[in-house]
Amino acid sequence: MTTALTLLAPDTWQIRPGDYALQGTVMIPGDKSISHRALMLGALAAGQTEIRGLLLGDDPRSTAACFQALGATISELNSDCVVIQGIGNLQEAADVLDAGNSGTTLRLMLGILASQPGKFYAVTGDSSLRGRPMKRVVQPLQSMGATIWGRGQGNFAPLAVQGQTLQAIHYHSPIASAQVKSCLLLAGLHTPGITTITEPALSRDHSERMLKAFGATLEVDPELCQVSITGPGQLQGQQVTVPGDISSAAFWLVAAAITPGSELFLPNVGVNPTRTGVLEVLEAMGANITQENMRIVTGEPVADLRVSSSPLQATVIEGKILPRLIDEVPILAVAAAFAQGTTVIRDAAELRVKESDRLQAIATQLGRMGVKVTELPDGLEIIGGEVLQGAEVDSWGDHRMAMSLAIAGLQAKGTTTIQRGAAATVSYPNFTESLEAVLQSP
Ligand SMILES: O=C(O)C1=C[C@@H](OP(=O)(O)O)[C@@H](O)[C@H](O)C1
Ligand SMILES: C=C(OP(=O)(O)O)C(=O)O
């Protein structure tokens, strides 16, 4: 077997396309959103929490380090069983809390910190995170009475937080964001009264499911996209089993769909309906995907996925499905490049404030590979079906871009070199090993 992937340097990936297919089983690493929440709720809960299947990526590691600094006892991170002894009353941390590259860590943690009376905290992140907007959580927290300082009137980390007892509010969020919703739910957990959040479309509901499982008093109305929490509440430690991350499975779904002769089995993937937009879009494009053995694990729907290659057709992705596939747009853009016809993605302006400006990153990097991509203010237009050319591309330090470009390179003509591929470890620590393991010569 000729291997298609070479690490020129730990951070530089080279993909040489060849006459191979993708075959076998890929064990998908733990869901990143659920991993963050399990660590945070475990840290806040009375007693012991055990987490099985935790994602060992850089982002959950940032969360674990922050909550250790706040006084929780967290065993060494591993995917078998992480044990947390929670601390209801968080301490002040001796140093600045560093969320690294993780928007989820910083935004959810702000809700927790702002509602710790009498405590002072400083929080920051890497250069990408310091450029991402925090006003979306800072402003509603301020209307609950929170005291938060930072550049751009509290929009950018580093931020300083003076914790206090907040007032419950009903917040109508202008964006469908699970990070905004979860931040306010976590603030509401420590706030007397009923804190309600209404969003314009339903975002992922992992916080709601897990807060309920840990004993919080929550009322959820998915029709109204509304959730209320009654505070103050005391969480109790639980056993959490984290399913595989559908956002990580998406790379294999597209890789197998576009590579002739491929069939992959992806056991144990989370299929929470607030996350399965990617399955619906790929199926509408003609992908061959089956869901087997559907079950509920720690309150979350889980299934085994099977995918095999098939021709893809262009589609339109817009409206309320966007929050249900927001992190899959880069890899869906790759699918679109291999689909017959013109795919249009709209209502995706949120992608401009992720780890990179993903609309610009996709347009420029797939453009280098010869894909005809037009960047729209809130989306992309992608003319698919032409042969991609291997090229020198860059992940822009964005994990989802690194892996999407690697999958695009598999079916390009000529070698693709991806700079800053190591960004993948943010959400997928052994992506390159898994890719090598499933590449089979016919
Ligand atoms: O709550 C979460 O775990 C996440 C919510 C989404 O962000 P937004 O809330 O900004 O849409 C998503 O893009 C991110 O990867 C994880
Ligand atoms: C946007 C992402 O994560 P976060 O906002 O937590 O950095 C992502 O994982 O694609």
Side-chain angles (χ1 to χ4, degrees), residues 104-160:
T104 310
T105 306
L106 188 48
R107 294 197 180 113
L108 271 58
M109 187 165 65
L110 279 170
I112 296 170
L113 301 181
S115 54
Q116 303 293 311
K119 309 279 172 59
F120 178 82
Y121 304 99
V123 296
T124 193
D126 70 5
S127 60
S128 156
L129 190 54
R130 292 195 305 273
R132 292 176 65 187
M134 294 300 138
K135 198 83 187 168
R136 55 182 59 200
V137 294
V138 168
Q139 188 261 319
L141 286 172
Q142 284 171 336
S143 53
M144 293 176 78
T147 306
I148 301 172
W149 299 270
R151 288 176 297 130
Q153 297 182 311
N155 198 20
F156 298 109
L159 295 166

Side-chain angles (χ1 to χ4, degrees), residues 230-252:
T230 303
Q234 175 59 63
L235 305 181
Q236 291 298 325
Q238 299 293 320
Q239 306 228 338
V240 179
T241 298
V242 182
D245 196 326
I246 193 167
S247 300
S248 299
F251 300 107
W252 307 113

